[in-house]
């Protein structure tokens, strides 16, 4: 079975002047899958700014990751990927192989992986299947990351019914490399030998095609790869050892050999003998060898005189290594088996499938519901929401300090921080906001890019590079495709405003369950930045609470609206305010004026106070001091952008600096020892909320 449209089938037959055989159909199916070809998204992705200061490798066809110069002859390499469909079928192996795949993307550039982020979204935990999915996803991530020795230093964990049966499992990785030794994933001359390391099996058959269609509810377990982190460690170590002996490196990921060989050959043409591919299972069909996505395999383009040295390095570990082909220069991709040519297709046909721009249609406006709920009840429901609880249950299963580069442990701040070999500190963060994207994907695209920028600023870092992951349902559905197009427009606008290049990314369509119910639109931004001044290690102490920025009645897409009904305006991302607020925050950190900083986002001001309350402190807030809207719900729960919450002993200096920068800051309350939350005349004990904050996940899942 191939996942091609009738138009594509007719297109291929006309281009070839014949009917392809089974092996050729499978090759085309893999190369033309949404997962590999981006045929429904590429024309819009071209609008992203991928060039800029320090960019060494940006968004380029068939490169496995992007790279940015950070000085001292070093570059960071960064990539984000997902394993959504596999994790829905086999959450342990699906999540584990997602980690393995992203690590191989990093080492394909010759870079040493330094840290992982995992961004996970599942259905509500009232459903036992969602509990099973989450438990095994976390186990799979921990199993692979801990075994291979790359720390998981942070991420996200959020819940929504739209992810029931279709969880999102995003993994990002950052690595370090000498900028003069970055390896391409493609070749530019003929005569190079194609070398494969690793065994090919029957797991992961047709995985790229599987990821490019809706979940059917049928048994698709064969499309899920099996994780082997110990083999992955060998691949990682040897690849870094032999990088000077190879001309190009490519991970065998989606589409297996068919895709990796075709993309690496870069249109020059290649011939590969499938007989020479080391197999895990005897008597595999050549068609299956072509598209198997067995993990822990790597492809190398090698000069003839270096082949022996490359394979000798693997022989030390008794790890399979074999020369399977050669770059020909004739523009044809050929696969042979038993001295018989079973695939002969032009590179251009495989690499340049038809591109699509599907019809779009804006969503209909939903009805507004003006809430009528007591403030205390609203506060409790917000603070008890699973999105705001401690994620310690998940982080505790990851060895986040392996490699000794972790500076801020997961959950300590809004961004993770690692140390680099040149002594610099790098902050990284991933952000998404599906509730806002469901309301307005364009504003959401700007919002999540700006939020990532602000999260980096909250620890003292300025963003320098980003990657994206765009996750939606069926692109042929006009409302879904409109969300995709609008989110791309918003992300691109924000990236240009902040002058931050997007050097790579991923598009994942067809995220729908067996009942054709799509996920909420979930574009994701992962951003990295250097700490050029001081690092803020957040600490909770007695002091003044200061809000930087103007609070607006922009409640749509907020956690409050999700719980109590939609009302208010859609947040407008005022990027100038986000930039100014971030610059002020950096100045305050470098001048030692604050000891806690958090951008106002999920849950509004009340959500931003949760880390303070969780440390057994009393928070007193005077809402009349919150500058902006007079709506009490919006004062406390609006998630409009351009704002930070600080704890400080010197509130006047913050107000003065904000005024000089054209912003506003106001002292709205105090922090002192205790277990109470005081909002105006309202005072209540929050011991039960703190207990829920620390124990919810463990109690629900274990």
């Amino acid at each position: 079975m191939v996942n091609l449209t009738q138009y594509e089938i007719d297109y291929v037959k006309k281009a070839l002047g014949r009917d392809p055989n089974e092996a050729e159909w499978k090759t085309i199916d893999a190369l033309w899958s949404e997962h590999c070809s981006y045929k429904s998204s590429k024309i819009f992705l071209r609008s992203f700014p991928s060039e800029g200061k320090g960019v060494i490798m940006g968004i380029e066809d068939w490169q496995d990751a992007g790279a940015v110069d950070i000085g001292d002859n070093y570059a960071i390499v960064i990539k984000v990927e997902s394993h959504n469909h596999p994790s829905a079928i086999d959450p342990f192996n699906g999540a584990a192989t997602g980690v393995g795949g992203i690590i191989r993307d990093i080492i394909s550039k010759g870079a040493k992986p330094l840290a992982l982020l995992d961004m996970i979204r599942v259905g509500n935990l009232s459903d036992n299947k969602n509990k099973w999915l989450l438990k095994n996803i976390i186990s799979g991530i921990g199993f692979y990351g801990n075994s291979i020795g790359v720390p998981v230093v942070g991420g996200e964990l959020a819940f929504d019914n739209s992810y029931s049966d279709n969880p999102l499992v995003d993994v990002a990785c950052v690595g370090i490399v000498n900028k003069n030794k970055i390896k391409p994933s493609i070749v530019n001359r003929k005569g190079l030998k194609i070398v494969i390391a690793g065994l090919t099996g029957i797991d992961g058959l047709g995985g790229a095609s599987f990821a490019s269609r809706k979940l059917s509810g049928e048994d698709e377990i064969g499309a899920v790869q099996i994780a082997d982190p110990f083999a992955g460690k060998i691949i990682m170590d040897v690849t870094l050892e032999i990088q000077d002996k190879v001309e190009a490196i490519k991970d065998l990921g989606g589409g297996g050999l068919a895709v990796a060989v075709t993309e690496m050959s870069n249109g020059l043409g290649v011939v590969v003998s499938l007989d020479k591919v080391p197999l895990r299972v005897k008597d595999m069909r050549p068609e299956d060898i072509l598209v198997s996505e067995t993990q822990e395999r790597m492809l190398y383009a090698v000069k003839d005189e270096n082949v022996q040295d490359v394979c000798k390095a693997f022989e030390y570990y008794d790890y399979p290594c074999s020369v399977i082909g050669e770059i020909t220069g004739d523009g044809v991709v050929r696969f042979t088996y038993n001295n018989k040519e079973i695939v002969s297709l032009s590179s251009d046909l495989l690499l340049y499938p038809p591109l699509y721009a599907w019809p779009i249609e804006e969503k209909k406006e939903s009805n507004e519901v003006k809430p009528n709920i007591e403030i205390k009840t609203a506060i409790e429901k917000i603070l008890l929401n699973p999105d705001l609880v401690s994620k310690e249950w998940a982080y505790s299963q990851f060895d986040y300090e392996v490699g000794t580069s972790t500076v801020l442990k997961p959950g300590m701040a809004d961004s993770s921080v690692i140390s680099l070999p040149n002594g610099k500190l790098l902050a990284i963060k991933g952000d998404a906001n599906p509730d806002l994207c469901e309301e307005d994907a364009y504003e959401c695209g700007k919002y999540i890019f700006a939020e990532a920028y602000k999260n980096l600023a909250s620890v003292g870092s300025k963003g320098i590079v980003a990657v994206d992951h765009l996750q939606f349902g069926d692109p042929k559905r006009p409302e879904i495709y409109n969300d995709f197009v609008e989110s791309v427009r918003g992300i691109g606008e924000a990236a240009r405003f902040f002058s931050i290049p997007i050097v790579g990314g991923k598009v994942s369509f067809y995220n729908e369950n067996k009942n054709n119910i799509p996920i909420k639109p979930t574009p994701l931004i992962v951003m990295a930045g250097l700490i050029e001044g001081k690092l803020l290690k957040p600490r909770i102490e007695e002091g003044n609470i200061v809000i930087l920025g103007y609070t607006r009645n922009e409640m749509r897409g907020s956690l409050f609206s999700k719980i109590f009904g939609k009302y208010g305006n859609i947040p407008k991302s005022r990027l100038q305010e986000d930039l100014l607020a971030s610059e002020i925050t950096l100045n305050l950190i470098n001048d030692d004026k604050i000891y806690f900083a958090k951008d106002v986002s999920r849950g509004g001001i009340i959500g931003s106070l949760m880390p303070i309350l969780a440390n057994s402190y009393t928070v007193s807030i005077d809402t009349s001091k919150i500058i902006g809207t007079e709506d009490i719900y919006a004062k406390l729960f609006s998630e409009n952008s351009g704002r930070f919450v600080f704890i400080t002993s010197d509130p006047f200096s913050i107000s003065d600096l904000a005024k000089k920068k054209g912003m506003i800051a106001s002292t709205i309350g105090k922090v002192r020892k205790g277990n109470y939350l005081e909002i105006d005349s309202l005072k209540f004990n929050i011991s039960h909320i703190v207990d829920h904050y620390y124990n919810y996940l463990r109690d629900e899942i274990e």
Side-chain angles (χ1 to χ4, degrees):
M1 179 183 73
V2 294
N3 195 35
L4 300 172
T5 66
Q6 188 59 52
Y7 167 76
E8 290 169 341
I9 291 172
D10 293 340
Y11 183 100
V12 168
K13 291 180 178 179
K14 183 177 180 180
L16 293 178
R18 61 179 175 84
D19 285 353
N21 60 41
E22 180 185 359
E24 290 174 327
W25 275 128
K26 286 197 171 187
T27 301
I28 296 166
D29 185 43
L31 267 298
W32 285 21
S33 65
E34 288 282 4
H35 186 79
C36 298
S37 73
Y38 300 91
K39 58 190 177 186
S40 294
S41 58
K42 183 171 286 189
I43 60 174
F44 296 100
L45 300 179
R46 290 169 178 161
S47 67
F48 284 161
S50 63
E51 298 179 351
K53 181 181 178 181
V55 175
I56 299 172
M57 188 172 288
I59 298 176
E60 300 177 33
D61 287 338
W62 317 306
Q63 297 288 2
D64 284 350
V68 175
D69 188 345
I70 59 167
D72 304 319
N73 279 329
Y74 281 106
I76 59 166
V77 175
I78 188 169
K79 182 70 183 291
V80 63
E81 268 279 8
S82 71
H83 248 206
N84 300 338
H85 278 32
S87 297
I89 303 300
D90 181 352
F92 180 88
N93 279 300
T97 51
V99 173
I102 198 74
I103 287 174
R104 290 194 302 279
D105 283 334
I106 298 301
I107 63 176
S108 73
K109 303 291 98 187
K112 178 183 178 181
L114 291 179
L116 294 158
L117 297 180
D118 62 87
M119 286 68 65
I120 303 165
R121 286 173 169 80
V122 297
N124 292 330
L125 296 184
S126 57
D127 183 285
N128 285 331
K129 183 177 180 181
N130 291 329
K131 294 179 183 179
W132 172 77
L133 285 169
L134 179 58
K135 185 175 183 177
N136 284 281
I137 287 168
I138 295 296
S139 295
I141 292 170
F143 167 70
Y144 206 104
N146 296 350
S147 299
I148 203 169
V150 181
V152 179
V153 298
E156 287 187 312
L157 177 54
F159 305 90
D160 189 273
N161 275 332
S162 75
Y163 305 113
S164 293
D165 293 328
N166 198 137
L168 300 188
V169 182
D170 295 306
V171 183
C173 189
V174 62
I176 192 80
V177 63
N178 183 313
K179 72 175 186 179
N180 299 311
K181 294 187 175 183
I182 295 175
K183 290 297 176 183
S185 298
I186 57 177
V187 300
N188 56 17
R189 67 183 185 87
K190 65 180 182 180
L192 297 173
K193 302 297 183 183
I194 301 298
V195 176
I196 189 174
L199 291 170
T200 298
I202 58 174
D203 56 315
L205 290 177
S209 181
F210 165 56
S212 304
R213 61 177 184 265
K214 301 173 188 178
L215 291 167
S216 67
E218 300 173 357
D219 184 10
E220 295 170 308
I221 192 69
V224 181
Q225 306 95 332
I226 305 300
D228 185 352
F230 304 105
K233 182 70 163 61
I234 294 173
I235 283 285
M236 181 175 71
D237 291 346
V238 176
T239 298
L240 296 179
E241 176 188 340
I242 65 172
Q243 59 178 303
D244 291 338
K245 297 287 187 179
V246 303
E247 305 307 304
I249 309 172
K250 193 161 187 65
D251 166 39
L252 273 93
L257 266 174
V259 171
V261 166
T262 303
E263 290 183 349
M264 176 179 267
S265 63
N266 193 26
L268 292 179
V270 62
V271 59
V272 168
S273 174
L274 298 177
D275 309 80
K276 297 179 180 179
V277 176
L279 301 180
R280 180 180 293 162
V281 179
K282 290 183 179 180
D283 300 323
M284 281 185 66
R285 299 172 64 234
E287 296 84 1
D288 292 339
I289 298 173
L290 266 175
V291 297
S292 169
E293 296 181 13
T294 299
Q295 296 290 284
E296 286 74 52
R297 297 181 301 160
M298 212 66 146
L299 209 63
Y300 309 94
V302 188
K303 293 179 180 178
D304 191 54
E305 61 266 27
N306 291 330
V307 167
Q308 185 175 356
D309 289 340
V310 168
C311 282
K312 186 176 181 180
F314 281 103
E315 288 172 7
Y316 177 83
Y317 296 95
D318 196 25
Y319 204 78
C321 178
S322 176
V323 178
I324 61 172
E326 184 175 345
I327 303 297
T328 59
D330 64 2
V332 179
V333 174
R334 295 184 176 87
F335 291 97
T336 66
Y337 187 75
N338 285 341
N339 295 319
K340 179 182 178 183
E341 193 170 82
I342 63 169
V343 171
S344 180
L345 299 168
S346 77
S347 295
D348 285 349
L349 176 68
L350 293 174
L351 293 173
Y352 300 103
L355 301 182
Y356 300 100
W358 302 107
I360 62 174
E361 181 180 313
E362 293 185 4
K363 294 177 180 175
K364 296 177 181 178
E365 285 289 330
S366 55
N367 295 328
E368 181 173 308
V369 179
K370 178 68 175 179
N372 182 18
I373 184 169
E374 293 182 353
I375 291 300
K376 180 179 178 180
T377 301
I379 289 172
E380 286 198 339
K381 287 198 173 183
I382 291 291
L383 293 181
L384 291 172
N385 188 271
D387 283 2
L388 296 183
V389 304
S390 168
K391 307 308 188 294
E392 177 64 25
W393 170 83
Y395 298 145
S396 65
Q397 299 180 56
F398 306 147
D399 188 351
Y400 46 75
E401 293 185 323
V402 64
T404 68
S405 64
T406 306
V407 176
L408 291 184
K409 297 178 181 180
M412 281 186 65
D414 279 346
S415 293
S416 303
V417 178
I418 60 174
S419 61
L420 302 176
N422 61 355
K424 294 182 179 180
L425 298 179
L426 184 79
I428 45 177
K429 182 63 167 64
D431 278 299
N433 193 331
D435 291 324
L436 177 56
C437 282
E438 190 177 41
E439 294 288 337
D440 190 315
Y442 165 68
E443 292 296 342
C444 176
K446 293 192 294 180
Y447 187 99
I448 60 174
F449 202 95
E451 185 180 359
Y453 190 87
K454 288 182 292 181
N455 283 332
L456 295 185
S458 72
V459 296
S461 174
K462 186 175 181 180
I464 59 171
V465 64
V467 291
D468 68 272
H469 192 202
L470 312 174
Q471 299 167 106
F472 299 85
D474 186 343
K476 299 182 185 69
R477 297 168 68 169
E479 288 189 353
I480 290 175
Y481 201 56
N482 181 73
D483 284 340
F484 164 74
V485 173
E486 287 297 285
S487 69
V488 169
R489 185 165 71 95
I491 291 169
E493 183 176 322
R496 287 186 290 273
F497 177 85
F498 288 105
S499 298
I500 295 179
I502 298 174
V503 299
K506 183 68 180 174
V507 179
S508 175
F509 284 130
Y510 300 103
N511 288 289
E512 303 186 4
N513 66 21
K514 58 182 177 293
N515 297 317
N516 294 326
I517 299 174
I519 63 167
K520 289 181 177 178
T522 314
L524 169 80
I525 293 296
V526 176
M527 191 178 293
L530 293 170
I531 294 177
E532 298 174 346
K534 294 182 180 179
L535 165 69
L536 176 63
K537 292 186 176 181
R539 63 186 192 275
I540 311 300
E541 295 181 4
E542 293 184 338
N544 298 279
I545 299 175
V546 175
I547 297 294
L548 173 65
Y550 193 85
T551 300
R552 298 178 170 90
N553 185 3
E554 295 181 339
M555 296 288 285
R556 298 292 280 269
S558 67
L559 181 57
F560 182 90
S561 289
K562 179 178 181 179
I563 297 173
F564 301 112
K566 298 177 180 180
Y567 95 102
N569 299 316
I570 292 173
K572 302 294 183 183
S573 294
R574 297 163 179 86
L575 300 177
Q576 184 68 23
E577 293 183 14
D578 291 314
L579 178 61
L580 287 173
S582 298
E583 289 178 349
I584 291 169
T585 301
L586 290 173
N587 287 339
L588 293 171
I589 291 171
N590 290 329
D591 291 340
D592 292 321
K593 297 296 184 182
I594 56 177
Y595 36 89
F596 174 88
K598 184 170 177 58
D599 81 302
V600 179
S601 53
R602 196 66 167 162
I605 289 174
I606 289 297
S608 299
L609 298 175
M610 189 64 232
I612 304 173
L613 297 169
N615 279 272
S616 297
Y617 279 83
T618 288
V619 172
S620 301
I621 298 295
D622 181 352
T623 60
S624 69
K625 303 295 185 182
I626 299 174
I627 299 175
T629 178
E630 292 302 315
D631 184 293
I632 187 61
Y633 298 129
K635 280 178 178 285
L636 297 176
F637 306 113
S638 174
E639 298 176 10
N640 71 273
S641 63
R643 296 180 297 158
F644 282 84
V645 170
F646 304 127
I647 303 178
T648 180
S649 58
D650 185 7
F652 300 106
S653 63
I654 298 177
S655 298
D656 289 344
L657 179 60
K659 187 176 181 179
K660 291 177 182 177
K661 293 283 190 177
M663 294 283 286
I664 56 172
S666 56
T667 303
I668 65 168
K670 290 186 177 295
V671 176
R672 65 180 190 275
K673 285 288 187 179
N675 286 296
Y676 289 90
L677 177 60
E678 300 170 356
I679 305 292
D680 298 332
S681 61
L682 176 68
K683 177 180 179 179
F684 60 98
N685 190 295
I686 46 88
S687 296
H688 65 294
I689 293 176
V690 173
D691 180 71
H692 178 271
Y693 175 82
Y694 285 111
N695 297 315
Y696 170 77
L697 286 178
R698 184 172 286 104
D699 290 346
E700 280 292 314
I701 297 176
E702 295 183 352

